[in-house]
Amino acid sequence: MRLFHGLSAFPLTPADASGRVDTEAQGRLLDPLCAAGVDSIGLLGSTGIYAYLTRGERLRAVRAAVARVGGRTPLLVGIGALRTDQAQGLARDAADAGADALLLAPVSYTPLTQGEVYEHVRAVARATDLPICLYNNPGTTHFTFGRELIERLAGLETVAAVKMPLPADGDFADELTALRRCTALSIGYSGDWGAADALLAGADAWYSVVAGLLPRLALSLVRAARAGDEAEVRRIDERCRPLWDTFRTFGSLRVMYVLQDLLALGTAEPPRPLLPLGDADRERVAEALAALRAGEAG
């Protein structure tokens, strides 16, 4: 099954200063992902600025994406929201629009407990029949899924996968072993700079930011890992190292807006209060991209 396995590419969601989605520009970003053969597309993820869009605009984005993709590639749609009823509504919208699966982050202002997130996910899971990927993203949501919570949520019929952050100690093998002792969920990782280690350790999926604009690069890393070619995985990862460094320094979302411009795939700015990178930082991103291209040519 392609969904929740292999490479899931997370594109930007082009939108104007008022938060209205440019569905035609969105389509131009989706077409190359389908053509490259990514295993799924993560629409309205963190890179897709879901938190900055209204429910109506999120629905417009999903409808347009479903129409543009036309069944070529499974669509995983982010439905994170502060309130449980809002997340339920977003889940129904995505299902009605034709999404293939849901990505659920427990967005919060007041810190959430493990029990509160269990009830939140359980309520959202009842809203549709679509499979759900839990989005464990403590750097953004300030909530961490404990292993006991993951095990408990895995008992819900439609919860099928978990998207994990990079382990603080870098030990993917031990974490994967521990998680697989308590759950049969598909286990994938975000944090592109850790993708090589995650895939070599046996992760089921890479939820990739860079694949949203450079899908063939990301696919080359995934395919090398699947083939057990560690030397090739390390070679590709090393080529990407300057870019990974910009992701970690400036935040991958800000960098993606620069990359979109540099790759002539559209011009847009991040939603306020986020600001575009300044000239010196843009130059650093441009140098990282040039290094990638030089490595490809070599």
Side-chain angles (χ1 to χ4, degrees), residues 147 151 164 167 171-185 187 189 198 200-204:
R147 287 179 188 166
E151 180 178 11
M164 295 290 291
D171 195 337
F172 291 92
D174 277 0
E175 180 168 271
L176 285 164
T177 297
L179 287 169
R180 285 176 174 148
R181 283 198 195 106
C182 67
T183 175
L185 297 179
I187 302 168
Y189 285 88
L200 288 170
D204 297 305

Side-chain angles (χ1 to χ4, degrees), residues 17 21 24 56 64 70-71 78 84 105 136 155 163-164 166 176 186 199 211 229 248 281:
V21 174
E24 180 57 33
T84 298
N136 189 4
K163 176 183 178 186
M164 295 290 291
L166 304 178
L176 285 164
S186 168
L199 292 168
D229 189 346
R248 299 178 75 173
D281 296 335

Side-chain angles (χ1 to χ4, degrees), residues 109-285:
Y109 180 83
T110 298
L112 298 173
T113 68
Q114 301 286 301
E116 287 168 339
V117 169
Y118 176 80
E119 293 300 333
H120 176 67
V121 174
R122 187 165 72 115
V124 175
R126 290 198 302 261
T128 78
D129 294 328
L130 291 182
I132 293 174
C133 178
L134 306 172
Y135 190 1
N136 189 4
N137 185 17
T140 297
T141 65
H142 308 293
F143 176 84
T144 301
F145 283 81
R147 287 179 188 166
E148 290 183 2
L149 176 59
I150 293 172
E151 180 178 11
R152 191 179 178 201
L153 288 170
L156 300 177
E157 184 176 358
T158 58
V159 173
V162 59
K163 176 183 178 186
M164 295 290 291
L166 304 178
D169 61 1
D171 195 337
F172 291 92
D174 277 0
E175 180 168 271
L176 285 164
T177 297
L179 287 169
R180 285 176 174 148
R181 283 198 195 106
C182 67
T183 175
L185 297 179
S186 168
I187 302 168
Y189 285 88
S190 56
D192 284 8
W193 53 91
D197 289 331
L199 292 168
L200 288 170
D204 297 305
W206 174 20
Y207 297 97
S208 171
V209 173
V210 77
L213 290 175
L214 296 168
R216 296 186 188 279
L217 170 70
L219 277 168
S220 68
L221 195 152
V222 171
R223 288 167 179 163
R226 284 173 168 170
D229 189 346
E230 181 173 357
E232 179 64 3
V233 171
R234 297 300 181 194
R235 187 189 73 81
I236 297 167
D237 186 51
E238 187 59 30
R239 278 177 54 206
C240 295
R241 190 61 49 192
L243 185 60
W244 299 160
D245 289 343
T246 68
F247 277 14
R248 299 178 75 173
T249 300
F250 307 120
S252 58
L253 178 59
R254 295 182 182 90
V255 173
M256 285 287 279
Y257 280 98
V258 178
L259 286 176
Q260 182 187 22
D261 187 18
L262 294 173
L263 293 166
L265 293 172
T267 301
E269 291 189 356
R272 295 297 178 96
L274 299 179
L275 295 174
L277 294 184
D279 290 344
D281 296 335
R282 283 179 59 89
E283 182 59 28
R284 183 169 165 187
V285 176

